[in-house]
Amino acid sequence: MTPQDPSAAKMTQSSVRSANLALVLSRIPGEEGSVSRADIAAQLGMTRSTVSRLIDDLIVGRLVREGETSAGGRGRPAVPLNLQRRSVVSLGLEVNVERLVATLVDLTGEVLVVRQRDLDVVALDPADAMGQLAELATEALEGRPAGSRLTGATLALPGLLDRSGTRVLRAPNLGWEGVEPSALWRLSVDGEPVALRSANDIDCSALTVLRDDPQASFIYVTGEVGIGSAVAINGEILAGRSGWAAELGHVCVDPHGHLCGCGSIGCLESVAGARGLLRDSGQPGVASLIAAAEADEDLALATIEGAADALGIALSAALNLLDVENIRLGGHLGQLEPFMRDRLAAVLNQRVLWARHSGIEVEVVERAPLRAAMGAGLAGLGQVIADPATWIDELLAD
């Protein structure tokens, strides 16, 4: 019998502990949670003593805090557990067509700081845009809680990125192609460079929706200059093999339609994106389009109806393919939802095969423009949830 290598056994024990810490931490809510050590032990099928030791480590490591004891029924009163506020923070950033945003988000999902510059980013050289973003991030970090640890920075971008999240493959509305944002990024904290990775902006936005409903399934579609979308199935973002899934804005709704910014013809974005809506309505902005619709102006109402038809066609194809019942609308699509509601419902009920047998819910997501940067911050904190041992073992050794 071959003797076991002690170092391999030690590594195995360490790996099991790391995995168990991640499992326990994933069960602890950010705020107003009522979960206790006994609840987590029951959920995970672990002994109470094992869970208690893991929780103790997470508390010393400043990732978890105990709330006030709540008197229940029989036995020892339960002590509720929550994620620790303001102990670990992440920079959530966004570069979009008309703005730069920097946020500071903590482990509970609370947005501690927001800094924003509204400007024509398309007119900027990518290096200039990233330089200004670093300045904005520096301003945001001035509000960093004393003693907090920074996980790094995540940048939300409106386009396709490579699998590693380092290179922009295509961002047609931004005009970036082949750009590597991390190569143009210069930011240090306490003498150490702050690492940057990039992600799709709507995938980041969808993370903010999942924070409020962790097991949800939905199609999230938001409108600004273009149309962005994301799909969540049972709490997981549908990324696809290369991370390029859920590009609903570039589903063809009219093969004889207008040229889209992506270079194709008749995409949903060319009809329901801001440029398409303003082109067809003759209005200078979305706010004026809404005002015209409220005044029952025929052209405004006809334009919105056309956008509802196009959105319904694209969404029907997605719902038939994915079997998802919930649609979340953000940005100008959320603002226009009251005017699109009946028409959109009619198209969905006609085209979705199972619509008569199961209801289709359409909800409006508020604060859509800020959600990309907020979600980028949450994405950066995902590494702490996935591998808490890395973040607590240094403190445990002190």
Side-chain angles (χ1 to χ4, degrees):
M1 183 174 178
T2 304
Q4 185 178 10
D5 182 351
S7 62
K10 184 177 180 181
M11 183 175 293
T12 300
Q13 292 171 3
S14 175
S15 299
V16 170
R17 174 178 172 274
S18 295
N20 286 339
L21 281 167
L23 275 174
V24 169
L25 188 61
S26 70
R27 299 292 172 135
I28 300 175
E31 295 292 339
E32 299 179 2
S34 58
V35 68
S36 67
R37 297 175 191 235
D39 295 329
I40 294 173
Q43 291 170 12
L44 298 177
M46 295 181 182
T47 65
R48 292 193 182 189
S49 60
T50 297
V51 168
S52 217
R53 285 196 300 271
L54 294 168
I55 293 293
D56 287 342
D57 285 353
L58 291 168
I59 290 172
V60 174
R62 299 175 56 217
L63 299 185
V64 170
R65 64 182 174 86
E66 292 182 308
E68 295 184 6
T69 302
S70 57
R74 299 178 181 178
R76 181 180 294 177
V79 179
L81 301 166
N82 293 99
L83 299 178
Q84 179 65 55
R85 300 177 66 243
R86 299 172 177 253
S87 65
V88 178
V89 297
S90 177
L91 273 170
L93 312 170
E94 182 191 15
V95 171
N96 214 313
V97 174
E98 298 173 338
R99 64 177 177 269
L100 303 174
V101 184
T103 64
L104 201 61
V105 183
D106 78 1
L107 198 58
T108 70
E110 181 183 357
V111 180
L112 306 176
V113 182
V114 177
R115 295 291 183 270
Q116 180 168 334
R117 289 184 188 177
D118 296 321
L119 71 169
D120 184 2
V121 178
V122 178
L124 299 178
D125 179 86
D128 188 10
M130 292 303 299
Q132 291 200 41
L133 185 66
E135 293 174 6
L136 210 58
T138 300
E139 293 178 20
L141 285 169
E142 292 174 0
R144 178 184 167 196
S148 63
R149 292 168 287 170
L150 182 66
T151 68
T154 302
L155 171 60
L157 286 163
L160 298 180
L161 295 110
D162 65 7
R163 295 186 188 183
S164 64
T166 57
R167 187 162 63 94
V168 180
L169 301 179
R170 289 197 70 188
N173 291 326
L174 199 59
W176 291 13
E177 188 165 333
V179 175
E180 295 188 10
S182 59
L184 307 174
W185 171 254
R186 299 289 183 274
L187 182 69
S188 296
V189 172
D190 301 328
E192 294 292 329
V194 177
L196 177 75
R197 70 173 299 272
S198 300
N200 176 265
D201 59 341
I202 310 303
D203 285 348
C204 289
S205 294
L207 290 177
T208 68
V209 180
L210 286 174
R211 183 193 63 178
D212 300 327
D213 191 357
Q215 297 303 314
S217 297
F218 56 80
I219 298 178
Y220 174 45
V221 191
T222 187
E224 292 193 60
V225 173
I227 298 291
S229 57
V231 175
I233 305 292
N234 298 327
E236 297 288 339
I237 301 295
L238 181 64
R241 183 177 61 86
S242 301
W244 306 335
E247 286 289 343
L248 194 76
H250 299 288
V251 169
C252 181
V253 295
D254 181 1
H256 305 292
H258 294 278
L259 179 68
C260 179
C262 73
S264 191
I265 300 293
C267 296
L268 172 63
E269 183 172 299
S270 71
V271 180
R275 289 170 180 160
L277 288 168
L278 302 184
R279 176 199 65 223
D280 293 344
S281 66
Q283 295 292 334
V286 172
S288 62
L289 172 60
I290 292 172
E294 290 172 339
D296 290 328
E297 293 186 14
D298 290 342
L299 183 56
L301 292 173
T303 297
I304 295 172
E305 186 175 278
D309 284 342
L311 182 60
I313 290 170
L315 281 170
S316 296
L319 266 59
N320 279 326
L321 184 66
L322 298 171
D323 186 20
V324 174
E325 299 175 355
N326 187 272
I327 298 166
R328 313 280 179 109
L329 299 179
H332 67 248
L333 296 180
Q335 295 175 284
L336 294 171
E337 189 274 337
F339 304 101
M340 296 194 299
R341 185 178 300 154
D342 293 342
R343 187 76 175 197
L344 178 59
V347 176
L348 292 174
N349 287 330
Q350 177 188 12
R351 290 179 171 270
V352 177
L353 185 64
W354 43 261
R356 297 180 184 178
H357 308 286
S358 180
I360 299 172
E361 300 177 354
V362 179
E363 302 178 36
V364 173
V365 175
E366 304 294 341
R367 299 176 70 199
L370 185 59
R371 284 180 178 267
M374 291 167 52
L378 291 175
L381 291 162
Q383 59 184 292
V384 182
I385 301 295
D387 185 19
T390 300
W391 295 87
I392 69 174
D393 283 350
E394 183 178 346
L395 295 179
L396 292 176
D398 292 343

